[in-house]
Amino acid sequence: GQQLNQSPQSMFIQEGEDVSMNCTSSSIFNTWLWYKQDPGEGPVLLIALYKAGELTSNGRLTAQFGITRKDSFLNISASIPSDVGIYFCAGLRGGTASKLTFGTGTRLQVTL
Amino acid sequence: DGGITQSPKYLFRKEGQNVTLSCEQNLNHDAMYWYRQDPGQGLRLIYYSQIVNDFQKGDIAEGYSVSREKKESFPLTVTSAQKNPTAFYLCATGGGNGGYTFGSGTRLTVV
């Protein structure tokens, strides 16, 4: 099945730095979602985006729904050690039988 | 309060043995999903169910089976036909806003 392309695949940053990651697709999605997975746990929803061009924040996190509807971006400002984990994007085309398509994940490690 | 519960957290399987992973939800969601995650990898869809008594194969259904006799429950059986079952298994439910709620996962190891 299709997976969305996420980049970077992994990143090491220092505490206090800002982080950017993105997710791209060859096809259009009507909803974009960002999840975070802590080690040994299930992913947790961070931000949901429902409209092209939409910019939404959740604390230090900001995500954007690309204007072409084929991409999305997630920024984390002033990273802290608990930001460590895997970040997944997910897209939904819509319709009653529609399923989420997940990205390949970005592994974030934060050093002190 | 509402949520999704997976059990057990850790499971060990001998070669040739079938094992069943439990997934229970009280979110009143119609849709439920099973994913497999290998170390350092993304999520791969095994099976999903949009409604009680109906389920569909995902991308990697071979060697797995499911049932959906109740809205609240969607157990996954890993059969002996699954040659490489060691992985982290995640169950999820689908809400009306498109987002999924995930359980905390079951780590299955073949011994």
Side-chain angles (χ1 to χ4, degrees), chain A residues 1 3 33 35 37 40-43 50 88 92 96-100 102 104 107, chain B residues 9 33 35 37 40 42-43 45 48 50 59 88 90 97-100 102-104:
Chain A
Q3 282 194 309
L33 304 155
Y35 286 85
Q37 184 180 27
E41 297 295 328
Y50 301 106
F88 290 102
L92 185 68
T96 55
S98 186
K99 305 185 303 296
L100 282 180
F102 282 91
T104 48
R107 182 180 296 273
Chain B
K9 182 68 175 175
Y33 308 84
Y35 287 88
Q37 186 176 32
L43 307 174
L45 183 64
Y48 64 101
Q50 301 279 10
D59 302 316
F88 190 51
L90 287 161
N97 64 355
Y100 292 178
F102 284 88
S104 57

Side-chain angles (χ1 to χ4, degrees), chain A residues 2-68:
Chain A
Q2 178 193 10
Q3 282 194 309
L4 303 172
N5 296 314
Q6 269 186 258
S7 65
Q9 186 175 4
S10 64
M11 52 196 318
F12 290 79
I13 61 168
Q14 288 195 327
E15 185 177 6
E17 287 185 352
D18 295 344
V19 174
S20 292
M21 60 190 77
N22 67 71
C23 189
T24 60
S25 169
S26 57
S27 53
I28 289 172
F29 288 94
N30 294 317
T31 299
W32 283 92
L33 304 155
W34 284 92
Y35 286 85
K36 182 196 176 196
Q37 184 180 27
D38 289 327
E41 297 295 328
V44 173
L45 182 65
L46 298 173
I47 291 180
L49 303 154
Y50 301 106
K51 187 177 177 181
E54 180 181 357
L55 187 72
T56 297
S57 293
N58 178 7
R60 293 179 296 107
L61 278 59
T62 301
Q64 184 160 25
F65 190 142
I67 196 70
T68 66

